[in-house]
Amino acid sequence: FLIFLLLGRFFLKCFSPNFYVNSIYEIDLNSLKALGIKLLILDLDNTLVECNKCYVAPKLVPWLNKIYNLGFKLIIVSNNTKERVATFAKKLGLPFVHTALKPLSFGFKKAMATAKVSKKETAVIGDQLLTDVFGGNMLGLYTILVKPLSLKGESFFTSINRKIERVLLFLLTKRGYFNAAKRNL
């Protein structure tokens, strides 16, 4: 029973973000800077833009400029195709990693190598526990979960992930991990 309890806590901790916000615009960038974060790895779909949309929200460009002015490096890391990610990234002049295979470490490591930063200097910002948060946590990165911009138009696999996430969010909240994440930054 004790082994199950310890493994259960470890399992839940793997999916627990360091911080949770309703949108990217609520992230306290000065606090991230104080933590020594230099690179922000940004998910694309439902984090920066609604799934399958290519418009740039009017608030996004000033937010990105604020990030640059604070000295952060930015890289989009997405599981989506090269065409999809490049179309959006080029509009903003951002480097990107496509077909990242999150939660596997490949895309995160490629972004850190490109930016020449360490794990402790990197934060992952995304809308999915099973890809962004879990993948970042497994590498020891700082993870920030944002509420998805929209659930419309998501892929079949993402919709399955969302069902699993609901269970995980319930368990994380019940055990106090998720409530603590909001206060952690």
Side-chain angles (χ1 to χ4, degrees):
F1 177 74
L2 184 59
I3 292 173
F4 176 75
L5 183 65
L6 291 173
L7 287 176
R9 286 180 189 227
F10 173 76
F11 174 78
L12 283 178
K13 194 105 171 116
C14 292
F15 294 98
S16 181
N18 293 102
F19 195 64
Y20 170 72
V21 290
N22 288 317
S23 83
I24 55 175
Y25 308 109
E26 292 181 8
I27 296 169
D28 185 342
L29 299 169
N30 291 316
S31 292
L32 287 178
K33 188 121 179 116
L35 290 172
I37 301 295
K38 294 180 180 174
L39 170 64
L40 300 180
I41 293 177
L42 303 168
D43 177 50
L44 177 61
D45 293 311
N46 280 329
T47 300
L48 297 179
V49 65
E50 287 182 36
C51 189
N52 299 322
K53 305 277 183 180
C54 262
Y55 68 89
V56 175
K59 295 186 334 185
L60 185 57
V61 173
W63 184 74
L64 292 172
N65 287 336
K66 181 179 178 183
I67 291 171
Y68 281 124
N69 290 337
L70 287 170
F72 289 103
K73 296 176 183 183
L74 299 168
I75 298 180
I76 294 173
V77 175
S78 174
N79 285 348
N80 217 319
T81 64
K82 181 178 183 179
E83 180 182 18
R84 163 75 177 141
V85 182
T87 299
F88 191 81
K90 286 178 183 176
K91 288 181 181 184
L92 298 171
L94 292 175
F96 63 92
V97 176
H98 64 88
T99 321
L101 303 175
K102 295 182 290 183
L104 300 178
S105 63
F106 163 79
F108 299 122
K109 286 181 177 178
K110 186 172 181 179
M112 289 186 294
T114 300
K116 298 179 179 147
V117 298
S118 68
K119 293 176 183 182
K120 69 179 183 179
E121 298 171 315
T122 305
V124 177
I125 302 170
D127 68 299
Q128 290 192 56
L129 286 174
L130 296 178
T131 56
D132 307 305
V133 173
F134 179 65
N137 284 347
M138 289 298 90
L139 269 177
L141 309 178
Y142 193 87
T143 55
I144 301 172
L145 179 67
V146 299
K147 202 178 248 186
L149 292 172
S150 173
L151 299 179
K152 295 178 185 175
E154 290 189 319
S155 73
F156 172 74
F157 294 109
T158 302
S159 64
I160 290 172
N161 282 353
R162 295 284 182 210
K163 290 175 181 164
I164 296 167
E165 282 180 355
R166 272 183 281 214
V167 173
L168 286 170
L169 287 171
F170 172 78
L171 293 171
L172 288 167
T173 302
K174 186 175 179 182
R175 300 281 178 150
Y177 292 112
F178 201 66
N179 294 334
K182 258 197 159 221
R183 296 187 302 269
N184 205 12
L185 184 60

